[in-house]
Each structure stands twice: as structure tokens, then as C-alpha cells.
Amino acid sequence: MTTVGIIGAGNIGSTLATGLVARGYDVVIANSRGPETLADVIAPLGGRARAATAAEAAEAADWAIVTVPLKALGDIPVEPLAGKIVLDTCNYYWERDGHIPALDQKQTTTSQLMQQHLPTSKVAKAFNHIRSTEILTDGTSAGTAGRRALATAGDDADAVAHVTALYDEFGFDTVNIGPLAESWRVERDQPAYVVRQNVDELRANLARATR
């Protein structure tokens, strides 16, 4: 059975853990405060989930999700994630993370920063532009009229295909933005950020994005 390592146990991390367990995945989840603080997250998930350190979650993972404040990016273990697909859900909030000049000056994207930190991993953008409360409620069957769409971006074709399949499992269509360098189009304050949109609407919002 596939094991997913989730590094970050906030709203997105805990919601994805719930959704993944419901879909038959095993989950190892970590936060910055230690596994003993995750009892309330783990308890509802039954035997398919356990708490661990970030290094343990990364090591156990067949693939991983990183969902942390950007100021904590440097704490993400590198070697245990080598060669693995890593989904980046992170967003830049300078009010929380402190100013990151390369992002302020539009020289890079949050996902490129993660790929730079994890040079031997296959990073793809995922689940960053949907509210956590909607991840488990807005999905519908493939072919449903007006099915909600989410975007992904990645420099690795396998990682993008992985996100596309996962989105479908959660009930969403996919729009592939292209490489990580284009992932700014679904970052904070862009037209596609945290709004309900189908494929055509998402493509239009991506095209309207300005940097």
C-alpha cells in the first residue's frame, strides 16, 4: 500500500491526511512541534495514519506533501526525499513568513524555492489555491458539468501526471500550467487563487494573471 509522508499538519495537511486515508492510502504526518502533539489529528484516522518527525515522514514516504510556512522551508529534510515526488501546497504570506526578497521582486516562485531546497526531488504545485474546507467537499465525479478544476505545475512530467491523477481521485479536473516558473499564476492574490472555477474559467484566470 502506498505511504504518503505529510510534512505540515495545519489545515491543508490534516485535511489531505483525512482525504488520503479515506481513499486507502497510509499516512505518516509530521509537524514542527513533535509527534506527541498530533494525537488529535491522528485519532480520527484510525490505523492507516501515524505521527512522526519530519525526517521519519520523509523516509517512510513513497511520495510526499510539504505544506508548511515558507519560513520553515529550510527545515524540510532533503536526503530522505531524494528521487521522490513532492507536492508543494505552500503560499507566501510575508506577514507570517517575513519578506523573501526573491519573491517580493518576482524573481522566482514558491515552488521553485522548494525545488531549489530539494534538488533531487520531483516537485509539483498542488492544492495551494483551494481553501482547506473545500478540499473534501467540492469534488465531483469525472464528467460532471462544471466540475471544479485545480492547477498544477512542474518541471517533471511524472510529478505533473501524479498530481493530475490525485486531483481526479479527490474529484477535480486539472489544468497544467507548465513548468514551476509559471506557478506564480496560482499564487496569492492572482485571479485563480481560492475561487471556484471549472477548466475553462481556470484557464481564463491563469491567462489574466499579472506579475
Side-chain angles (χ1 to χ4, degrees), residues 30-205:
N31 64 6
S32 61
R33 298 183 302 278
E36 67 279 0
T37 66
L38 290 171
D40 290 345
V41 174
I42 295 299
L45 301 180
R48 302 203 77 101
R50 65 181 176 91
T53 66
E56 290 166 343
E59 186 66 41
D62 293 305
W63 57 271
I65 298 167
V66 175
T67 177
V68 299
L70 280 182
K71 62 184 178 182
L73 183 57
D75 297 329
I76 303 303
V78 177
E79 290 305 318
L81 292 172
K84 298 177 181 180
I85 292 172
V86 176
L87 308 193
D88 162 36
T89 81
C90 302
N91 290 302
Y92 175 42
Y93 289 89
W94 61 263
E95 304 92 335
R96 173 196 65 193
D97 301 319
H99 281 286
I100 300 173
L103 292 176
D104 291 339
Q105 297 164 20
K106 316 300 184 185
Q107 296 171 343
T108 190
T109 66
T110 61
S111 292
Q112 285 175 292
L113 288 179
M114 186 170 296
Q115 184 67 82
Q116 182 179 341
H117 178 69
L118 300 172
T120 55
S121 299
K122 305 171 184 178
V123 173
K125 199 71 180 178
F127 290 110
N128 77 299
H129 57 291
I130 180 173
R131 293 181 176 88
S132 61
T133 53
E134 297 165 358
I135 290 173
L136 303 182
T137 60
D138 276 20
T140 54
S141 300
T144 300
R147 191 188 198 202
R148 186 167 180 174
L150 298 176
T152 187
D155 298 338
D156 182 271
D158 289 341
V160 169
H162 182 87
V163 174
T164 301
L166 186 67
Y167 278 169
D168 188 57
E169 283 191 65
F170 275 75
F172 303 103
D173 285 336
T174 301
V175 174
N176 178 7
I177 304 173
L180 293 177
E182 291 296 309
S183 62
W184 62 269
R185 294 180 183 275
V186 286
E187 289 180 350
R188 175 189 180 187
D189 297 330
Q190 295 295 344
Y193 188 68
V194 296
V195 296
R196 288 182 174 88
Q197 54 211 320
N198 62 26
V199 166
D200 290 339
E201 292 166 338
L202 176 51
R203 286 176 176 151
N205 282 332

